[in-house]
Amino acid sequence: MTTTAPRPFGRTLCAMITPFTATGALDPDAARAHAARLVAEGCDGIVLSGTTGESPTTTDAEKSALLRAVRAEVGDGVPLLSGVGGPDTATTLRLAREAEDAGADGLLVVSPYYSRPQQSAVEAYFLRVAESTGLPLMLYDIPGRTGVRIEPETLLRLADHPRVVAMKDCSYDLLGATKVLARTSLAYYSGCEELNLPLYAVGGAGYVSTVANVAPRQMRAPLDAFDAGRTDEAARLNGLTARLVELMMASGLPGTVTAKALLDAGPVREPLQPAGREAADGLRKAYEELLVA
């Protein structure tokens, strides 16, 4: 039952945290160690400098340094994507070029947020990024954060561009995703852990997961079972992750905060604040229960 969906960046990707030292500086050594663990425990690829990687509060130089450090650790066989999207097209284009220079294999490009542009402007934005670089693009639809959708009809047009190859979907619109999957060759990656298996079952390529920072093997297991034709087991394994996913991604705390509460990866940068003691204890309990399940 192995899916035939295109997988330009692999199947199981982690949206990696950015480790900081106790004083809040970028910690390249910790980043290298964390990336090595993710690959060793089942991540096919890594997304750096996304929202989980605290891209709004890291500098351009830090983004490049992070990418170079992780590339030096994992080598050329692991796809590395760099998050470059934002509310300003000129800044996005500059970040895209810098990510290409630093050795990225692809770009994660979120829709322009806050200004809520119309769909024609959203389309023009992505085309400008695609024309500014030789790297393939994974578009990122997360309207709950950006305030604007990448509508399915817009995606159908964007899919005609040769460098628009993938989608990270946090729209919670399975019908829209199915429509685009049926009419394009875009690789659809789930960006919402609770939809990893459902989207995969209708032709998705895999996922880009924050929870994979702390449980990479457990997040991968349902997809492995599904590919082996063990659909009942896939559903069971998927259910085992539910409590941790809920606490990490739907408890009111950002995924960056909850992931760092479970990892020795330094502080978060303001305006984020660390998880409180009660939340951290609950996360730890759910994590330990998943590990022994």
Side-chain angles (χ1 to χ4, degrees), residues 146-163:
T146 64
V148 62
R149 277 286 319 262
I150 310 172
E151 296 290 349
E153 292 299 327
T154 303
L155 269 177
L156 292 174
R157 294 189 296 272
L158 286 167
D160 288 335
H161 195 286
R163 282 188 290 280

Side-chain angles (χ1 to χ4, degrees), residues 110-233:
V110 73
S111 53
Y113 47 80
Y114 188 75
S115 56
R116 303 182 69 179
Q118 69 269 36
Q119 286 298 295
S120 61
V122 171
E123 182 178 352
Y125 163 86
F126 285 122
L127 291 175
R128 285 270 282 148
V129 181
E131 290 297 323
S132 74
T133 174
L135 295 178
L137 271 57
M138 180 188 289
L139 310 187
Y140 185 10
D141 189 21
I142 182 165
R145 286 181 180 266
T146 64
V148 62
R149 277 286 319 262
I150 310 172
E151 296 290 349
E153 292 299 327
T154 303
L155 269 177
L156 292 174
R157 294 189 296 272
L158 286 167
D160 288 335
H161 195 286
R163 282 188 290 280
V164 176
V165 302
M167 178 74 173
K168 180 183 177 184
D169 184 21
C170 288
S171 68
Y172 289 94
D173 180 8
L174 195 58
L175 178 59
T178 303
K179 176 180 177 180
V180 176
L181 280 165
R183 295 173 58 184
T184 75
S185 60
L186 280 179
Y188 248 77
Y189 291 88
S190 171
C192 304
E193 281 84 357
E194 63 269 39
L195 294 182
N196 286 357
L197 184 59
L199 186 58
Y200 195 63
V202 298
Y207 57 72
V208 178
S209 170
T210 295
V211 178
N213 278 284
V214 302
R217 292 185 187 276
Q218 291 78 9
M219 298 309 298
R220 180 184 177 121
L223 272 58
D224 287 343
F226 186 89
D227 277 351
R230 302 190 302 269
T231 55
D232 288 348
E233 182 183 357

Side-chain angles (χ1 to χ4, degrees), residues 12-18 34 38 43 45-54 81 108 140 168 190-191 193 207-214 248-249 255-256 259 263:
T12 54
L13 283 70
C14 179
M16 197 178 103
I17 58 164
T18 299
H34 186 53
L38 293 175
C43 293
I46 296 173
V47 175
L48 301 167
S49 297
T51 308
T52 302
E54 299 180 73
L81 286 79
L108 177 71
Y140 185 10
K168 180 183 177 184
S190 171
E193 281 84 357
Y207 57 72
V208 178
S209 170
T210 295
V211 178
N213 278 284
V214 302
M248 286 189 66
M249 306 305 294
T256 305
L263 298 167

Side-chain angles (χ1 to χ4, degrees), residues 42 88 201 273 287:
D88 172 39
Q273 295 290 325
Y287 174 63

